Amino acid sequence: MNESEIIIARIGMVNYLNTAPIHEKWKSTVQSKTWQMVEDSPANLNKKLAAGQIDMGFVSSFEYGLHSEKYKILSGLSISANGPVGSVFLFSHVPMNQLDQTPVLCSDQSETSVSLVKIILEKFENVRPVYSIGDVLTVDNENFKAVMAIGDDALRLVEKSTYLYQYDLADIWKRQTGLPFVFALCVVREEFCTAQPEMLAAIHRELLRCRDEGKSDLEAICEISAQRIPMSKKRCYQYLTAIEHDLGEQKRKALETFFDFLIQRGDIDRKALPLKIFANLS
């Protein structure tokens, strides 16, 4: 095979602290020259996967629901929480039930979390704010009654927040539905599944290995990762202990429930269900 025929797999990885157990383990143990890691925010990875600029990767659950005809979900992998997640918050100056017709700023980094906060406010709290989308760290927050932030932005706001109320959205979802919440999935484009099944199976195995080894080696991961926020190693460990990266039966049920809400809202098509799962049988 000449150089022009070498197949490069482009793998999207969310560049937030919440993927550190998988991400750091991958960087330190995976050496393949034909597997290219592409780091970016969930929103940008969504766009890159939809455009075919990456072949697979961690993207917002909403992205899979929106373009499910293009993708399959890699089994056993997610960014999720079974209760408080600690990095997806609605920060508010007033109680949540007082946000009707008030300006609320939502992060531009994740369509999943934007959809989640809308379900919580409109379906669970029966209020309809006036939403704006933007960079929560640079927009003038004084113009908004509440701000929804995710990932590292949310972690930084928690450290220095002046908001009276801090609502953990995964915690509210759990209390309302009894289910975990799946923020992101590891998704692969259908054509890559068809064209490169052996490479996909090998990458899938390595991602699952990194997931398991990263969870077992969490203290060392925190030693590396805590400074990026910055936060204490103890706080980092507490946070990453609450983040889960599996996709078991309850997580799949939670994802289906979330998609049911989105279908009712008209945000995604009914063809998003049933879920299409790539299970590595090799």
Side-chain angles (χ1 to χ4, degrees):
M1 180 180 291
N2 62 47
E3 193 170 321
S4 63
E5 295 174 317
I6 294 174
I7 304 299
I8 304 293
R10 301 158 299 173
I11 307 159
M13 181 65 72
V14 176
N15 58 2
Y16 288 165
L17 182 61
N18 59 23
T19 60
I22 297 175
H23 193 184
E24 293 298 337
K25 192 59 67 173
W26 179 284
K27 289 192 294 185
S28 65
T29 63
V30 177
Q31 305 299 326
S32 175
K33 294 181 180 179
T34 59
W35 300 352
Q36 176 188 354
M37 184 66 73
V38 179
E39 300 178 25
D40 216 326
S41 69
N44 286 338
L45 290 177
N46 292 349
K47 294 172 186 175
K48 288 177 178 178
L49 190 68
Q53 295 171 354
I54 57 175
D55 302 298
M56 70 191 79
F58 284 88
V59 296
S60 297
S61 298
F62 184 90
E63 172 61 24
Y64 172 83
L66 191 63
H67 297 121
S68 61
E69 74 282 358
K70 295 182 178 182
Y71 307 137
K72 284 186 178 177
I73 299 167
L74 292 187
S75 64
L77 294 163
S78 74
I79 302 172
S80 52
N82 192 15
V85 66
S87 61
V88 181
F89 282 102
L90 182 69
F91 300 93
S92 183
H93 293 300
V94 298
M96 194 181 289
N97 60 10
Q98 294 181 20
L99 289 173
D100 194 42
Q101 300 302 311
T102 63
V104 171
L105 175 65
C106 295
S107 169
D108 58 4
Q109 296 301 302
S110 171
E111 292 172 293
T112 298
S113 297
V114 172
S115 296
L116 176 58
V117 79
K118 288 180 178 179
I119 290 168
I120 287 171
L121 291 172
E122 297 171 22
K123 184 79 174 178
F124 301 160
E125 292 292 333
N126 199 31
V127 296
R128 291 186 174 272
V130 179
Y131 304 104
S132 297
I133 306 293
D135 184 332
V136 299
L137 295 185
T138 60
V139 171
D140 185 359
N141 292 349
E142 291 183 6
N143 297 323
F144 299 93
K145 283 285 187 183
V147 173
M148 188 278 289
I150 72 162
D152 293 0
D153 289 350
L155 291 171
R156 293 183 181 108
L157 284 175
V158 166
E159 294 291 318
K160 60 177 183 180
S161 175
T162 58
Y163 291 90
L164 187 59
Y165 299 91
Q166 296 182 10
Y167 295 104
D168 188 305
L169 301 187
D171 183 41
I172 295 172
W173 170 270
K174 171 74 175 182
R175 287 189 275 113
Q176 290 285 342
T177 67
L179 293 166
F181 191 80
V182 180
F183 290 95
L185 298 162
C186 195
V187 169
V188 59
R189 289 180 63 88
E190 285 271 16
E191 59 260 38
F192 193 87
C193 284
T194 302
Q196 301 296 330
E198 292 182 5
M199 182 182 285
L200 175 59
I203 293 169
H204 190 198
R205 284 194 298 271
E206 285 296 279
L207 285 167
L208 292 171
R209 178 188 62 79
C210 289
R211 178 202 67 184
D212 293 342
E213 291 185 8
K215 183 177 181 180
S216 298
D217 206 17
L218 208 52
E219 287 200 13
I221 298 290
C222 291
E223 197 78 56
I224 298 168
S225 305
Q227 56 193 339
R228 65 183 291 176
I229 299 303
M231 66 198 313
S232 70
K233 180 183 170 184
K234 179 180 178 181
R235 172 82 176 89
C236 181
Y237 186 85
Q238 291 171 338
Y239 168 62
L240 288 179
T241 300
I243 299 287
E244 299 178 353
H245 298 98
D246 67 303
L247 191 61
E249 183 179 345
Q250 277 292 95
K251 301 281 176 69
R252 293 194 295 272
K253 182 179 179 182
L255 195 58
E256 291 165 353
T257 301
F258 178 53
F259 285 172
D260 278 334
F261 278 121
L262 295 180
I263 291 166
Q264 292 169 23
R265 290 173 54 84
D267 293 340
I268 64 173
D269 195 272
R270 292 187 180 278
K271 64 189 176 186
L273 294 174
L275 304 174
K276 296 185 299 177
I277 308 285
F278 172 84
N280 191 349
L281 302 177
S282 61

